[in-house]
Amino acid sequence: MHTHTPRSSRSALPRQSPRTRDRLGKELPKVLFISCTESRLAPQRFVAHPDQIYEVRNIGNIVLPYNPRIVSGDIATIEYTLTLPNLSDVVISGHSGCTAVAALLAQKSVSSSMRRWLFVGNSRAASREAVGARIGAVLDAEACERAARAHLLTQLANLAGYPGLESGRRGGDLRLRALFHSSETGATDIYSPRDNSFVPLTHQVAGAAR
């Protein structure tokens, strides 16, 4: 019996050119990019060669504090990626209007599994301190954005505690960066440790751009 393959099934995935296949076979990732599942935070927007990105995406762009005794796909992925010889940049990205942060501020009702997931990010206190409001108070967009930035910096601190990243930064081989994207304006800021604040992103952040 002849089985007909629908046209849409054959064309669902883009075809790779021989040149692309050759690059994928030879090059190792240069950038570890950690972000929320928000579609507007596509890592490909920030690097010159998207095929050189190793991605970790989850709701809330949460980085679990390093603990080798915990069974976690995210911890294992980050730990493995930090061993790659070509890795030059580690980027974590957050955004305004984040559902995870809204839940931390009791602005949004979420499932029990989601609440447990948010708990491991250790950012509830920092997020609430950033808005200076009582739990459950109605907050404006500006206050929620301050909380989202505080949440991102907590995840940045969690990430900085990974052994491979710590040693790589001491040796000058790795750069750790935090990006914050405004879903309303489309602008992206980068955290400046020197200024202890976010400043406009004016150029590509990844080593793969060079």
Side-chain angles (χ1 to χ4, degrees):
M1 178 178 174
H2 177 69
T3 302
H4 175 68
T5 303
R7 182 182 181 86
S8 58
S9 297
R10 292 199 302 267
S11 59
L13 296 175
R15 294 182 178 179
Q16 293 179 347
S17 68
R19 182 180 179 184
T20 300
R21 287 196 299 269
D22 186 57
R23 285 191 62 186
L24 289 175
K26 293 180 178 179
E27 301 212 23
L28 292 172
K30 293 183 178 179
V31 183
L32 170 60
F33 202 104
I34 303 168
S35 66
C36 185
T37 49
E38 162 66 50
S39 61
R40 287 167 289 190
L41 282 179
Q44 292 80 3
R45 299 183 55 206
F46 304 104
V47 296
H49 301 294
D51 56 313
Q52 295 178 12
I53 300 175
Y54 212 108
E55 294 184 53
V56 174
R57 303 189 76 168
N58 62 56
I59 189 162
N61 50 274
I62 286 175
V63 176
L64 279 70
Y66 180 71
N67 185 340
R69 295 187 297 273
I70 293 178
V71 178
S72 163
D74 284 356
I75 289 178
T77 300
I78 293 171
E79 189 175 34
Y80 166 73
T81 309
L82 291 175
T83 68
L84 297 177
N86 283 14
L87 195 71
S88 60
D89 289 86
V90 179
V91 181
I92 181 167
S93 180
H95 66 100
S96 63
C98 182
T99 298
V101 174
L104 286 171
L105 299 173
Q107 301 291 296
K108 189 173 182 64
S109 177
V110 294
S111 67
S112 58
S113 59
M114 173 76 159
R115 287 195 299 273
R116 288 193 295 270
W117 170 245
L118 296 176
F119 177 77
V120 301
N122 293 339
S123 63
R124 178 178 295 179
S127 297
R128 292 182 174 179
E129 183 180 345
V131 300
R134 64 183 183 276
I135 298 174
V138 178
L139 302 172
D140 60 21
E142 184 179 348
C144 289
E145 181 167 316
R146 289 200 306 272
R149 290 174 186 261
H151 167 72
L152 173 62
L153 292 181
T154 301
Q155 306 317 307
L156 180 69
N158 290 345
L159 183 58
Y162 278 67
L165 182 55
E166 203 171 292
S167 59
R169 292 178 73 196
R170 281 200 304 268
D173 299 324
L174 282 177
R175 293 176 294 187
L176 178 59
R177 320 223 182 167
L179 303 180
F180 188 85
H181 181 73
S182 172
S183 302
E184 293 75 28
T185 66
T188 300
D189 293 338
I190 185 169
Y191 178 67
S192 168
R194 182 182 60 187
D195 303 321
N196 192 28
S197 63
F198 285 88
V199 298
L201 179 68
T202 56
H203 58 276
Q204 291 173 309
V205 301
R210 294 193 302 271

